[in-house]
Structure formats: structure tokens, C-alpha cells
Amino acid sequence: FFQIEGQEDLGGQDWSGLAGNVLCYPCRLHYIRYGTLERVLPRASFPVKTPDSKCTFAGCQNKNVTTEYHRVSEFTKAGGRDWSPLVGNVLCKSCFYRFVNKGTLENDRPKKGVKPEDRKCTNDACDKPIGSAHYVCVDAKSNAGGKDWTALASRVLCLSCYQRYRTRGTLVKVLDNRKGLEPEV
């Protein structure tokens, strides 16, 4: 807490009207910056958390994927960009930060991933070939996990099978032997 004497010259503000008052640190900083104790300045952009939130950018590749959205207001200044054409829009986290960092909503990198119609794990031993949250199309040049992926080139794997091969070098699922269970064949 800070006792205001009225003779402060911090921030170029007139402190005489607050002489004799005690301010907490956040209020003192606010007065230094804005010359008022009123919190009337609106937020530049603010997270939107409603179940029906959707990114309003037509070219968004993350529609219905993210849970974090930002509504752009006339006070948005993030990244030093001109946000005026986007005022009132709701952007997903990816689109918002792409505009902050690059000044554009257009994604210069096409989204890698598996087309919806190809989302089925091709591992014959997979417990759940359909319904994974993520699928990977194996690149023959990949060396993820220090493994040789050439035998699996162009195959689609669910996230579980992909991670199993990346960590263990096999698609065969092994049960937990600590519980006395035998490995699957």
C-alpha cells in the first residue's frame, strides 16, 4: 500500500486530489498510467467462452476444434496490427494469434492431416480403428522417435498406434506384465 502525499509527479499525473489517501499497488499503477482510478477502459480483446462460439474467419481450418476464442473490439491493439476490419469478429485462438504474429488470417501452411473420409487406422491389430481424436498419415522420410518408418509409409494410424510405434518400434500392443498378464500375440 502507498500513502499519497499529493506531491508525487509519477506518470505526469496530478496527484493533489488524492493527497492523504492510501492506494493499493494495482490502483497506484492504474493512476500512474491513466490519471484516474476509474476502470472505464474496455478490454482490447477478451476470451469468449460460450458453447456456440465459432471462429468467424471463413478460411479457418480449426472450426469446432478449439475451445478458446477472442472477440475483437475497437480497442484491440495486439501485435501492433490494424484490427479495424475485424472489429466485432470472433476468432479462434489460432486465427487470433496468426493475425497478432503475421498480420494476416490466411494460413500460409496448409493443414496437415488426414481427410475425414480416410480417418481409419490401418493397423490390423488396432482396438479402435475408428473414433480416434487424431490420425497420422505416415511419411516415409519420418524419423520420429528414432524409428525407421519406411515400412509404414503412406499408412494411416490412429494416435495410439502411431505413438506406440514411435516409442516402442512396433504396432503390436503389449499388455501390462506387472499385473501378471501375458503379452498379446
Side-chain angles (χ1 to χ4, degrees), residues 10 13-18 23 26-37:
L10 295 171
Q13 309 298 348
D14 177 19
W15 292 80
S16 59
L18 296 174
L23 296 180
C27 289
R28 181 175 174 261
L29 278 179
H30 190 79
Y31 196 84
I32 289 170
R33 289 181 183 149
Y34 304 110
T36 180
L37 292 176

Side-chain angles (χ1 to χ4, degrees), residues 25-69:
Y25 184 72
C27 289
R28 181 175 174 261
L29 278 179
H30 190 79
Y31 196 84
I32 289 170
R33 289 181 183 149
Y34 304 110
T36 180
L37 292 176
E38 291 182 40
R39 303 275 182 176
V40 294
L41 298 173
R43 291 184 63 177
S45 71
F46 46 92
V48 178
K49 293 200 177 194
T50 59
D52 58 343
S53 292
K54 291 197 179 4
C55 185
T56 56
F57 173 51
C60 178
Q61 297 176 347
N62 295 311
K63 288 195 188 298
N64 304 325
V65 174
T66 186
T67 58
E68 183 178 334
Y69 297 88

Side-chain angles (χ1 to χ4, degrees), residues 16-163:
S16 59
L18 296 174
N21 288 306
V22 176
L23 296 180
C24 65
Y25 184 72
C27 289
R28 181 175 174 261
L29 278 179
H30 190 79
Y31 196 84
I32 289 170
R33 289 181 183 149
Y34 304 110
T36 180
L37 292 176
E38 291 182 40
R39 303 275 182 176
V40 294
L41 298 173
R43 291 184 63 177
S45 71
F46 46 92
V48 178
K49 293 200 177 194
T50 59
D52 58 343
S53 292
K54 291 197 179 4
C55 185
T56 56
F57 173 51
C60 178
Q61 297 176 347
N62 295 311
K63 288 195 188 298
N64 304 325
V65 174
T66 186
T67 58
E68 183 178 334
Y69 297 88
H70 295 269
R71 183 176 307 280
V72 179
S73 77
E74 62 269 18
F75 302 99
T76 303
K77 303 282 186 239
R81 307 291 182 188
D82 176 18
W83 291 85
S84 58
L86 299 171
V87 169
N89 282 291
V90 174
L91 299 176
C92 69
K93 180 179 178 179
S94 296
C95 290
F96 182 82
Y97 285 106
R98 184 177 312 114
F99 196 84
V100 166
N101 296 323
K102 297 183 179 180
T104 181
L105 290 175
E106 298 298 328
N107 193 351
D108 56 354
R109 293 182 301 163
K111 186 173 183 177
K112 293 180 181 177
V114 179
K115 295 176 187 171
E117 61 269 16
D118 295 332
R119 291 182 182 166
K120 181 178 180 196
C121 186
T122 58
N123 176 15
D124 296 332
C126 182
D127 292 337
K128 192 175 177 186
I130 298 173
S132 176
H134 189 72
Y135 290 89
V136 178
C137 184
V138 178
D139 182 3
K141 297 176 185 174
S142 177
N143 64 349
K147 306 296 187 261
D148 178 16
W149 293 83
T150 53
L152 299 173
S154 301
R155 286 185 58 186
V156 174
L157 298 176
C158 67
L159 187 59
S160 295
C161 291
Y162 174 81
Q163 288 178 337

